[in-house]
Amino acid sequence: MRVGILGSGQLGRMLALAGHPLGHSFSFYDSSASSATVGLGECTVASFEDIEALKRFAGQCDVITYEFENVPCAAAETLSSIRPVFPPARALEVSQDRLVEKEFLQGLGIGTPRFRSASSESELREACEALGLPCIVKTRRFGYDGKGQARIDDLADVARVWKLLNGAPLLVEGFVPFSRELSVIATREQGGQVCLYPLSQNEHIEGILHRSELPAPDVTPKLKKAAYQLISSVLEELQYVGTLAIELFEVRGEVLANEMAPRVHNSGHATIDCVASSQFENHIRAVTGMPLGSTEPTARAVMFNIIGRIPALDQVRDLPNARVHLYGKEPRPGRKLGHITLLNPSKAEEDMVNGLTSER
Amino acid sequence: MRVGILGSGQLGRMLALAGHPLGHSFSFYDSSASSATVGLGECTVASFEDIEALKRFAGQCDVITYEFENVPCAAAETLSSIRPVFPPARALEVSQDRLVEKEFLQGLGIGTPRFRSASSESELREACEALGLPCIVKTRRFGYDGKGQARIDDLADVARVWKLLNGAPLLVEGFVPFSRELSVIATREQGGQVCLYPLSQNEHIEGILHRSELPAPDVTPKLKKAAYQLISSVLEELQYVGTLAIELFEVRGEVLANEMAPRVHNSGHATIDCVASSQFENHIRAVTGMPLGSTEPTARAVMFNIIGRIPALDQVRDLPNARVHLYGKEPRPGRKLGHITLLNPSKAEEDMVNGLTSER
């Protein structure tokens, strides 16, 4: 089948690399072409508002999916009038707005950090007072990698943060004294079967994922069950098709849902190397109507992102258990350029790669 | 780097799929384009005699390699005047002519089946008499997958076989009472480091590989050592860069070299799924000047080729330990359309996939 992918970044790249061996081919659509998918399929460069271009693109594809959640819902609707689009439009709607997302999760009985919305400086102040400080303030839309976020430790910061976030509609979250950040990733296929990946434990630097360990260490059966139940209920409620990721906080042995991504997720990149069917492969299997492959881990995997600049990799390439993945992108501060996955690494190996990838 | 690949079939496809994560991009050159590499890089379609087209192609690439050994040596020379070409030209010369190949192997002290050359019907008869019947007769050039081969059981067959093979220059081999066919694959990088893959045990149907098991079962340390020594001496003698495969016969616990392929090889496809750095990845690492990755197997892998037609694969896709690889080619009798690798399969799983792929 020809799979159309909205977006042309590294997630699209890894989807195509996983999908070619399944016998599929790929076309991309993006408002500005990324070098990450060059050579893996043609890219239509056009606005997501360009109805005619969207229609032409849909006509070239058998099925359409996306690699980022900020696809305008109207574009998804135009496309789905011509070809199946997975995951479903409602997954986009829910995950594009942090307030709608949190309300959706709570509606399913899933615990989240306490939150308030705020559309004015005075509402922001009231929300901070109601939730207690510190608070995390996020724009409701278009945030990623720590962008569109700020922390308020003192009510005197309210005016500054309101200006910093450009007066955008906000979600204000009570601070959660979490012991760690985890994520749970799962794929649901068209018949409703679900496969669950091992949880990953995530560490960020300056709001951008730095390290993921998969399977996450020291996960109690109770924690694992809670994470799997909550993602399963989201998949079922949305009649989801494809791979979904939910970021979690672990707080005193319980999990709270932080946010969801209706797509493959950076914290699941290690599945390329430590699981038979990666999050990318199972996403493509799901959207093209194939059964799902195994998600049993064959190794403990530790992934480090390569951000901003590509360090000297000779030392890493000499490690037999290191897998370097580069995305074909030009270096730029804060940009995700690749990742390194270590399989069953020693402490020394991990420290070396951690050191190489911590400097950005 | 931009890697130019001569040929655009499934081997080129799998080289590109392995090379993209390393950060490389790909261009192909072929006398007629194959659908197997569509979407993985641009393909120049031109004759291998077209000097201007070859030069333009070389100018677009940083390094050039090939996925089949019948690249005309003159084309390789033209290209190598502009860009590095790996493996080296001598590897092409040696492996394009079965007589030169056998003499080369014997010159290194490597055992082969006994052989004679024949350029006329009477020489063919003399060769059969000298070697004793049965004999295997092969055209010296352009044979593959059992094409350009015949067996002579009776001297009365000589005239028929001479006609059948169109009076081409021949190599005649004495019949070898081998207990099984094995292959050994290794990669040598530019600094001279060599990595060795586990031996595979191969079974053919009608001259085309049907099943490979890797690591080959019941390999004695002596056998393994002999196989590794012989491929290492070939790599060293040719100052080879890239992946090389040598087909072997096991005869009474010894190995004889049957033929070599200066490229990735069908019997190594299982390395995609059972080894950290597959034969494809290490080939790309070698030709682009990277260190080699690990070749330690993580599972017992059994590969079955999909030839001529694609069977119903639902049953296979439901197996968590099955990896289906399709090449994006239209079905045609005798054509390699894909392969299935089973990891640590049960007898029942193997029998099922064997059944599906035995009918062509």
Side-chain angles (χ1 to χ4, degrees):
Chain A
M1 290 173 89
R2 178 163 294 265
V3 181
I5 297 182
L6 306 179
S8 63
Q10 66 270 13
L11 300 179
R13 174 189 182 86
M14 291 185 272
L15 285 168
L17 286 171
H20 274 288
L22 301 173
H24 301 308
S25 58
F26 293 85
S27 295
F28 303 92
Y29 187 108
D30 210 343
S31 54
S32 66
S34 154
S35 57
T37 50
V38 166
L40 293 171
E42 276 183 37
C43 186
T44 300
V45 180
S47 155
F48 283 106
E49 272 79 48
D50 185 339
I51 305 283
E52 288 312 308
L54 287 166
K55 284 184 176 170
R56 272 197 305 277
F57 179 73
Q60 295 162 15
C61 304
D62 298 304
V63 64
I64 295 165
T65 187
Y66 41 89
E67 56 132 40
F68 73 119
E69 58 271 42
N70 288 322
V71 174
C73 290
E77 272 164 38
T78 300
L79 294 166
S80 62
S81 69
I82 299 171
R83 290 288 185 275
V85 176
F86 299 118
R90 194 161 164 239
L92 276 180
E93 285 165 25
V94 166
S95 55
Q96 282 178 359
D97 184 317
R98 293 182 194 279
L99 177 63
V100 176
E101 180 179 82
K102 285 283 196 300
E103 288 173 341
F104 168 80
L105 292 167
Q106 291 217 328
L108 291 174
I110 295 169
T112 69
R114 291 170 309 124
F115 63 88
R116 289 279 190 290
S117 66
S119 302
S120 66
E121 191 180 322
S122 61
E123 281 183 15
L124 175 56
R125 179 177 303 271
E126 285 161 28
C128 290
E129 287 170 349
L131 294 166
L133 294 176
C135 279
I136 308 298
V137 184
K138 302 172 177 176
T139 56
R140 279 173 55 178
R141 300 178 72 90
F142 303 120
Y144 70 99
D145 284 349
K147 287 180 180 125
Q149 296 200 14
R151 178 176 157 140
I152 295 185
D153 287 289
D154 190 305
L155 286 178
D157 296 337
V158 165
R160 186 183 53 77
V161 165
W162 177 252
K163 276 214 188 78
L164 179 75
L165 299 177
N166 297 313
L170 300 175
L171 184 81
V172 189
E173 293 178 3
F175 182 77
V176 175
F178 59 84
S179 52
R180 59 174 166 171
E181 295 183 59
L182 300 168
S183 55
V184 58
I185 297 180
T187 312
R188 182 175 182 274
E189 48 87 72
Q190 297 178 23
Q193 293 286 319
V194 167
C195 68
L196 298 151
Y197 287 93
L199 301 196
S200 30
Q201 173 180 308
N202 307 321
E203 290 159 37
H204 294 76
I205 295 179
E206 293 167 12
I208 306 181
L209 185 65
H210 166 57
R211 176 188 186 277
S212 275
E213 180 170 347
L214 183 152
D218 307 320
V219 170
T220 62
K222 180 187 157 196
L223 193 78
K224 189 167 164 179
K225 193 176 163 196
Y228 283 172
Q229 276 182 345
L230 76 83
I231 197 165
S232 298
S233 68
V234 171
L235 290 168
E236 185 61 23
E237 173 64 22
L238 294 173
Q239 289 292 295
Y240 197 91
V241 172
T243 294
L244 173 76
I246 303 184
E247 294 179 23
L248 307 169
F249 293 132
E250 179 176 347
V251 193
R252 291 179 286 270
E254 312 270 344
V255 288
L256 296 179
N258 181 31
E259 57 184 76
M260 52 188 263
R263 55 166 167 82
V264 289
H265 193 259
N266 196 168
S267 65
H269 289 2
T271 60
I272 297 174
D273 295 307
C274 76
V275 163
S277 286
S278 72
Q279 62 166 351
F280 302 98
E281 179 175 322
N282 272 333
H283 183 79
I284 296 297
R285 285 175 178 245
V287 304
T288 59
M290 288 182 179
L292 302 173
S294 169
T295 59
E296 274 301 304
T298 57
R300 181 179 82 92
V302 182
M303 185 220 68
F304 293 93
N305 267 337
I306 299 173
I307 308 282
R309 61 177 197 89
I310 298 178
L313 291 172
D314 288 357
Q315 246 183 306
V316 181
R317 288 224 162 88
D318 276 339
L319 297 179
N321 58 331
R323 313 283 302 149
V324 177
H325 299 257
L326 298 178
Y327 307 152
K329 292 160 74 179
E330 284 302 311
R332 202 163 70 191
R335 207 174 204 199
K336 290 178 178 171
L337 303 174
H339 69 269
I340 298 167
T341 300
L342 298 175
L343 300 174
N344 298 320
S346 68
K347 177 79 171 55
E349 289 167 343
E350 247 200 75
D351 288 349
M352 187 266 280
V353 176
N354 186 43
L356 279 177
T357 55
S358 293
E359 265 186 67
R360 291 172 176 183
Chain B
M1 292 174 87
R2 178 163 294 267
V3 181
I5 297 182
L6 306 179
S8 63
Q10 66 269 13
L11 301 179
R13 173 188 182 86
M14 290 184 274
L15 286 168
L17 287 171
H20 274 289
L22 301 172
H24 301 309
S25 58
F26 293 83
S27 295
F28 302 92
Y29 188 108
D30 210 343
S31 53
S32 66
S34 154
S35 57
T37 51
V38 167
L40 292 171
E42 275 184 36
C43 187
T44 300
V45 180
S47 155
F48 282 105
E49 272 80 48
D50 184 339
I51 304 283
E52 289 313 309
L54 287 166
K55 284 184 175 168
R56 273 197 305 278
F57 178 73
Q60 297 163 14
C61 303
D62 298 304
V63 63
I64 294 164
T65 186
Y66 42 87
E67 56 132 41
F68 73 119
E69 59 271 41
N70 288 323
V71 173
C73 290
E77 273 164 36
T78 300
L79 294 165
S80 62
S81 69
I82 301 171
R83 289 289 185 274
V85 177
F86 300 117
R90 193 159 166 241
L92 276 180
E93 285 164 26
V94 165
S95 55
Q96 282 178 359
D97 184 316
R98 293 181 193 280
L99 177 63
V100 176
E101 180 180 81
K102 286 283 196 302
E103 287 172 341
F104 169 80
L105 292 167
Q106 290 217 328
L108 291 174
I110 294 169
T112 68
R114 293 170 307 125
F115 62 88
R116 288 279 190 290
S117 66
S119 301
S120 66
E121 190 179 325
S122 61
E123 281 183 16
L124 175 57
R125 178 177 305 271
E126 285 161 29
C128 290
E129 286 168 350
L131 294 165
L133 294 177
C135 279
I136 308 297
V137 184
K138 303 173 177 177
T139 57
R140 279 173 55 179
R141 299 178 74 90
F142 302 120
Y144 70 98
D145 285 348
K147 288 181 179 124
Q149 296 200 14
R151 178 176 160 140
I152 295 185
D153 286 289
D154 190 306
L155 286 178
D157 295 336
V158 166
R160 186 183 54 79
V161 166
W162 176 250
K163 276 212 189 78
L164 178 75
L165 299 176
N166 298 312
L170 299 175
L171 184 80
V172 188
E173 293 179 3
F175 182 77
V176 175
F178 59 84
S179 53
R180 59 175 166 172
E181 294 183 60
L182 299 168
S183 56
V184 58
I185 297 179
T187 312
R188 183 175 181 274
E189 50 86 72
Q190 296 177 23
Q193 293 286 317
V194 168
C195 68
L196 299 151
Y197 287 92
L199 302 195
S200 31
Q201 172 180 310
N202 306 322
E203 292 160 35
H204 295 74
I205 295 180
E206 293 167 11
I208 306 181
L209 185 64
H210 165 58
R211 177 188 185 277
S212 275
E213 181 170 347
L214 182 151
D218 307 320
V219 169
T220 62
K222 179 187 158 197
L223 193 78
K224 188 167 165 179
K225 192 176 163 197
Y228 283 172
Q229 277 182 343
L230 77 84
I231 197 165
S232 298
S233 68
V234 171
L235 289 168
E236 185 60 25
E237 173 64 22
L238 294 173
Q239 289 293 295
Y240 197 91
V241 172
T243 294
L244 173 76
I246 303 184
E247 295 178 23
L248 308 169
F249 294 132
E250 180 177 347
V251 193
R252 290 177 289 270
E254 312 271 343
V255 287
L256 296 179
N258 180 31
E259 57 184 74
M260 53 189 262
R263 53 166 168 81
V264 289
H265 193 260
N266 195 167
S267 64
H269 288 3
T271 61
I272 297 173
D273 295 305
C274 76
V275 164
S277 286
S278 72
Q279 62 166 349
F280 301 98
E281 178 175 324
N282 272 333
H283 184 80
I284 296 297
R285 285 175 177 246
V287 305
T288 58
M290 288 182 180
L292 302 173
S294 169
T295 59
E296 274 302 304
T298 58
R300 181 181 81 93
V302 182
M303 185 220 66
F304 293 93
N305 267 336
I306 299 173
I307 307 282
R309 62 177 198 90
I310 298 178
L313 291 172
D314 288 356
Q315 245 183 308
V316 181
R317 288 222 161 88
D318 275 339
L319 297 179
N321 58 332
R323 313 284 301 151
V324 177
H325 299 258
L326 297 178
Y327 307 151
K329 291 160 75 177
E330 285 302 311
R332 200 163 71 192
R335 208 174 202 198
K336 289 179 178 170
L337 303 175
H339 70 269
I340 299 166
T341 300
L342 298 175
L343 300 175
N344 297 320
S346 67
K347 177 79 170 58
E349 289 167 343
E350 245 201 78
D351 287 349
M352 186 265 281
V353 176
N354 186 44
L356 279 177
T357 55
S358 292
E359 265 186 67
R360 292 175 175 179

